[in-house]
Amino acid sequence: MAKTYIQNMLGENERIILVTRQHGFVLFSSIIAEIVVTLIVIVAITAMTIANPLVGFGYLLALVPLAIMLRDILVWSNQQYIVTNRRVIQVSGIFSKDVVDSSLEKVNDVKMTQSFFGRLFDYGDVEILTASEMGVNLFKRIGDPVKFKTAMLNAKEKLGYEGTGTHAQRAD
């Protein structure tokens, strides 16, 4: 079986703990907007076609929001947030990939924000503050942010225990 893109990025003895993506509402809201725009274009072109049959070529305009909808689906399905036993990874991109890693050792603080609807439908923002130059990774509207945050904090806690059975003392 062929290895996936994510599996190829993992280091030796690194394992995936959790993989998530933006909540389905992000995709759903985009698709609804594009369907509405498509219907408006079709109705407008149909109304104009009654006066001039050559305007019927305007139906090709309806393909634009449908193409944008396809792009949104591909972007949503190719954006992932991953927690491993060593780092947090954000992968995005359809053809070219953009990967942002944050080592769990460098994570200083984690901020989770959920609106009323976010709590109701289980999505929210997770902001990871690190000691690196980038400083902040913001994961917007991810599904089950509590599970993501808990998995990340548990992995950070276990980081010093791996392989020894006892907590490794760090020399600072």
Side-chain angles (χ1 to χ4, degrees):
M1 180 195 250
K3 291 174 99 176
T4 66
Y5 183 78
I6 295 168
Q7 290 170 333
N8 286 327
M9 290 189 321
L10 298 179
E12 190 175 316
N13 297 322
E14 186 175 17
R15 64 185 188 289
I16 295 173
I17 296 172
L18 178 70
V19 177
T20 191
R21 57 178 30 101
Q22 285 187 317
H23 195 276
F25 277 173
V26 173
L27 178 62
F28 181 73
S29 63
S30 296
I31 288 175
I32 291 298
E34 284 137 5
I35 288 173
V36 168
V37 169
T38 302
L39 292 175
I40 290 171
V41 167
I42 289 172
V43 168
I45 298 298
T46 303
M48 288 188 280
T49 304
I50 294 170
N52 184 358
L54 292 177
V55 179
F57 289 110
Y59 285 115
L60 294 175
L61 286 175
L63 296 177
V64 172
L66 294 177
I68 294 171
M69 181 182 353
L70 177 63
R71 183 194 65 89
D72 287 345
I73 291 169
L74 289 172
V75 166
W76 181 84
S77 63
N78 283 289
Q79 185 169 13
Q80 295 179 314
Y81 305 105
I82 302 147
V83 177
T84 73
N85 58 327
R86 294 185 185 166
R87 58 191 167 147
V88 178
I89 308 168
Q90 178 181 5
V91 180
S92 59
I94 300 168
F95 300 112
S96 59
K97 294 290 185 184
D98 184 26
V99 180
V100 178
D101 295 357
S102 295
S103 172
L104 290 175
E105 289 179 340
K106 303 290 184 197
V107 171
N108 291 336
D109 293 305
V110 181
K111 178 182 175 187
M112 185 185 73
T113 307
Q114 279 188 293
S115 64
F116 170 75
F117 288 110
R119 290 189 61 208
L120 190 63
F121 295 110
D122 201 19
Y123 68 89
D125 298 343
V126 176
E127 188 175 4
I128 301 170
L129 305 168
T130 65
S132 71
E133 288 126 21
M134 275 184 31
V136 175
N137 291 347
L138 180 60
F139 302 159
K140 300 217 31 108
R141 288 173 279 182
I142 66 172
D144 202 354
V146 174
K147 184 176 180 181
F148 183 85
K149 180 180 177 183
T150 303
M152 186 179 60
L153 293 175
N154 288 341
K156 181 174 171 61
E157 174 67 26
K158 290 178 185 174
L159 196 59
Y161 290 99
E162 282 191 355
T164 64
T166 61
H167 194 278
Q169 296 293 324
R170 293 188 336 195
D172 291 326

